[in-house]
Amino acid sequence: MAYSAKKHFISRLLCTKSWTSTQVFRIATDYFLVDLAFIVYWGILLFGYDAGVAGGVVSQPYFQQEFGLRDADGTQNKERTNEVSSIMVSILQAGAFFGALGSAPASAKFGRKMTLLFFTLVFSLGAILATAAHDYEHYGLELIYAGRVISGFGIGGISAVAPAFVSECSPKEVRGRITGLFQIMVAAGVMLSYFINFGISLYEITGPNVWRIPFGIQLVPASIMFFGLLTVKESPRYLFSVGHTTSALHTLAYLRKEPPWSERVMHEMAEIEAQAEEERDARKDLGFWDALKTKGESVRFRIAFSIFVLQQWSGQNSVGYYAPQIFETIGFTGTKNSLLASGVYGIVKLLATTIFVLYLVETLGRRLPLLISSLGMGILFLAIGVILKAHPPLTSDPNPAVEVIADPPTTSAAKAMAALLYIYVCFYSVGWGPLPWIYVAEIFPTRTRHYGLAVASASQWFWTCVDFVVAKATPDLIARLGYEIFFLFGVINIGAMAVFAFFLPETKGRSLEDMDIIFGAITAEARAAHVAESEERAQEHDIEGTNNEIDTHPSESTRLLIPRD
């Protein structure tokens, strides 16, 4: 499609009478980057999907029968079922932890794109093993366990590399929105897993398809991601960091949909070059661990680690464990109804996340939504604690050994708790759900971004696993603590997470290279001087790197290097 046709199409799409060339370029760039993010983030859909699919599979009667989870009289062995469910979830998270750590050296050596391709193949191998499992006598359960570990390793690597890749390709004006698609895909994956399990239960599917359909569906987004990655270019910042200056320039121009000699592209390249030179000067003759101790560097790693510790201990997982009990008290009894209620919960989470990421993140920034989210979740936890203390639900004991009342009466207190649960997930989705990933993806310099995201992702997976194992190892935790556990989470949200958010530096609208200024690695004046030197050097040599490969007049020959429709 010619440029004029693109301009006319986009202008009509946005119902605007006239647009300047700069505005149309910016809009085209945004849509192009959304396409890039959706390709890269198909693996993140797997992140959410795998987190929610295991419990539904294990709850299916046919699965329990085939894998020895029922006693001789045909009744469910709840202790064994809980054990298998715990193992299936925890080994996925353990594999993801090591995959996240392993992604850093791979991303540094082979680049973001090749690393994502590798981890996508690893995940697919795990999904194939889990799908191919037959029954208990043919080591089917062991095969599923092996598949979950391998898939987890792939998901961990993808979750660490994908945000860095997207962030490095995005302009500062929309970086939060584009990177925030990460959490939208997570929420979409969780919701999809709920409804896949609900559909299997609704249509009473039996036979191996009970687990082969949920596990096999994972191969669809994995295939889309793998073949989609073959069509995208490497991160321009990574290319520059390994000395491929000319390729970095042309890739950046391609991503911005502008010629390489444009003022915008040249200025961004000058910032990238200035930061790279500053890093080389500051870390000359220093090893990796010594470099982490340089000014403005260690604080970013502490933030990346701490922000996910707080996210996982914000109470979101405990709310997830307690939600089925609340739904049961208001009449959602039985497998089908509880899965449907969980699916609605997933829809609310997805919608809230989508609205925030697409319309609010670049308006409200990072720090303010985290603060609002912390206070909102904290207040809601305190409110739930008060209601539970005054009106404990009849089915509040999660111990599998306790027989749950089949049809508990619906009370006003139970309805209020259910309403607070949906409001809670809205507050989580407009702050502590998507923003930790956005924030850590943008605060690191190019040289250490892969390590920073690896630390952040590993922290997320580690504390998720710890939180899950603790809750499963003590199934009567909530029953024994009762309302007190919600008071505890309320205090954590208000007393720790809100204070943490209050002191975080704001990063909205700042370039990735500006993060060194924000965190004190260099002054704004020194950076401006270095950028000016880089721009002056580029003008004097007329893009020296480009001249080594093409004619010195960019008006014609350089344009041939920029992909056109």
Side-chain angles (χ1 to χ4, degrees):
M1 185 185 294
Y3 166 73
S4 58
K6 283 184 178 178
K7 178 176 178 179
H8 178 69
F9 171 74
I10 296 173
S11 297
R12 290 196 59 184
L13 180 65
L14 298 181
C15 302
T16 305
K17 293 182 179 179
S18 62
W19 285 84
T20 66
S21 297
T22 301
Q23 288 173 317
V24 173
F25 270 132
R26 182 66 51 81
I27 295 167
T29 299
D30 294 352
Y31 278 97
F32 181 76
L33 287 169
V34 168
D35 291 340
L36 170 67
F38 270 116
I39 289 174
V40 174
Y41 282 166
W42 272 108
I44 306 306
L45 182 99
L46 299 170
F47 177 163
Y49 183 85
D50 255 16
V53 74
V57 169
V58 176
S59 68
Q60 298 294 336
Y62 186 85
F63 182 92
Q64 296 171 0
Q65 176 184 333
E66 288 298 305
F67 291 97
L69 305 185
R70 289 185 174 269
D71 295 328
D73 59 359
T75 60
Q76 178 186 352
N77 186 324
K78 294 184 178 181
E79 182 178 355
R80 175 63 175 155
T81 300
N82 284 342
E83 177 187 353
V84 170
S85 178
S86 299
I87 293 174
M88 287 182 66
V89 174
S90 58
I91 61 176
L92 175 86
Q93 294 164 345
F97 171 78
F98 290 104
L101 291 179
S103 71
S107 180
K109 183 174 180 61
F110 301 108
R112 316 317 190 210
K113 176 180 174 178
M114 292 303 298
T115 303
L116 285 173
L117 284 169
F118 169 74
F119 279 110
T120 303
L121 288 176
V122 171
F123 172 85
S124 300
L125 174 61
I128 290 172
L129 289 177
T131 304
H134 188 53
D135 56 29
Y136 186 77
E137 294 181 356
H138 294 85
Y139 303 99
L141 201 56
E142 288 78 4
L143 202 59
I144 291 177
Y145 288 162
R148 295 284 287 178
V149 172
I150 296 172
S151 292
F153 188 83
I155 289 176
I158 292 171
S159 69
V161 179
F165 187 16
V166 173
S167 181
E168 289 178 350
C169 293
S170 302
K172 60 185 179 182
E173 295 84 359
V174 294
R175 188 178 59 244
R177 184 180 302 130
I178 302 299
T179 309
L181 292 172
F182 181 104
Q183 189 65 23
I184 292 178
M185 297 298 275
V186 171
V190 173
M191 184 190 69
L192 178 63
S193 71
Y194 288 152
F195 280 104
I196 291 294
N197 286 325
F198 174 70
I200 290 174
S201 177
L202 181 65
Y203 291 101
E204 299 180 351
I205 294 175
T206 60
N209 287 336
V210 164
W211 64 86
R212 286 179 177 170
I213 290 176
F215 290 144
I217 284 177
Q218 299 173 108
L219 293 170
V220 176
S223 299
I224 294 174
M225 180 178 177
F226 181 84
F227 290 108
L229 281 170
L230 298 177
T231 68
V232 304
K233 295 181 178 293
E234 181 57 86
S235 158
R237 286 174 169 83
Y238 171 78
L239 290 172
F240 189 90
S241 71
V242 294
H244 298 165
T245 307
T246 303
S247 297
L249 172 64
H250 295 313
T251 300
L252 184 63
Y254 174 65
L255 290 171
R256 300 295 177 263
K257 290 298 181 183
E258 295 191 24
W261 60 88
S262 72
E263 180 179 354
R264 182 188 180 200
V265 172
M266 293 303 297
H267 180 75
E268 193 168 350
M269 277 298 297
E271 287 186 322
I272 295 172
E273 181 180 359
Q275 184 196 47
E277 291 180 353
E278 291 161 5
E279 287 183 350
R280 282 194 294 267
D281 293 340
R283 297 165 185 175
K284 188 176 181 181
D285 300 326
L286 294 178
F288 173 73
W289 294 109
D290 293 328
L292 294 185
K293 301 175 184 177
T294 57
K295 187 177 181 181
E297 193 71 68
S298 61
V299 64
R300 290 184 255 196
F301 277 87
R302 290 197 297 268
I303 288 174
F305 178 81
S306 301
I307 199 169
F308 281 103
V309 173
L310 291 173
Q311 185 200 54
Q312 294 308 307
W313 286 97
S314 66
Q316 58 150 339
N317 291 333
S318 293
V319 167
Y321 303 145
Y322 202 62
Q325 300 168 43
I326 296 177
F327 288 133
E328 286 178 0
T329 65
I330 59 175
F332 290 98
T333 56
T335 302
K336 295 179 183 178
N337 287 333
S338 62
L339 286 172
L340 178 60
S342 299
V344 174
Y345 180 88
I347 291 175
V348 173
K349 184 176 182 179
L350 176 62
L351 290 177
T353 303
T354 302
I355 292 171
F356 172 74
V357 169
L358 296 184
Y359 300 104
L360 298 176
V361 68
E362 297 298 357
T363 302
L364 299 177
R366 319 297 191 246
R367 180 170 162 268
L368 180 61
L370 283 173
L371 186 60
I372 294 173
S373 178
S374 302
L375 294 174
M377 290 191 296
I379 292 171
L380 286 169
F381 276 131
L382 295 177
I384 292 174
V386 170
I387 296 174
L388 279 175
K389 182 179 180 181
H391 306 281
L394 296 177
T395 58
S396 61
D397 191 345
N399 193 325
V402 176
E403 188 68 26
V404 177
I405 297 175
D407 190 13
T410 302
T411 65
S412 298
K415 292 179 180 179
M417 285 189 288
L420 291 177
L421 182 64
Y422 286 115
I423 298 173
Y424 157 81
V425 78
C426 291
F427 273 104
Y428 175 78
S429 299
V430 301
W432 281 89
L435 280 174
W437 292 104
I438 295 173
Y439 198 81
V440 298
E442 61 190 9
I443 62 176
F444 289 98
T446 302
R447 181 178 179 272
T448 58
R449 185 169 294 115
H450 39 273
Y451 291 104
L453 265 295
V455 168
S457 182
S459 174
Q460 192 269 344
W461 286 110
F462 175 78
W463 290 108
T464 299
C465 188
V466 169
D467 195 8
F468 180 84
V469 170
V470 168
K472 286 296 184 180
T474 56
D476 60 339
L477 177 65
I478 295 176
R480 287 189 288 109
L481 293 180
Y483 64 89
E484 294 174 355
I485 195 170
F486 290 99
F487 285 159
L488 173 64
F489 288 137
V491 171
I492 291 175
N493 276 269
I494 296 175
M497 295 166 62
V499 173
F500 179 84
F502 181 80
F503 287 103
L504 278 181
E506 180 58 71
T507 59
K508 181 193 76 170
R510 304 292 293 270
S511 70
L512 294 179
E513 288 65 40
D514 280 347
M515 299 303 159
D516 285 340
I517 300 173
I518 292 174
F519 288 96
I522 192 172
T523 64
E525 294 76 14
R527 170 57 59 79
H530 293 159
V531 171
E533 291 175 4
S534 297
E535 290 180 325
E536 183 178 353
R537 195 159 50 242
Q539 291 175 356
E540 289 176 354
H541 297 282
D542 194 20
I543 319 177
E544 183 176 353
T546 304
N547 292 339
N548 292 333
E549 298 182 7
I550 62 176
D551 187 81
T552 57
H553 298 288
S555 59
E556 295 297 333
S557 55
T558 308
R559 297 182 188 209
L560 299 177
L561 297 176
I562 307 299
R564 302 283 187 183
D565 288 337

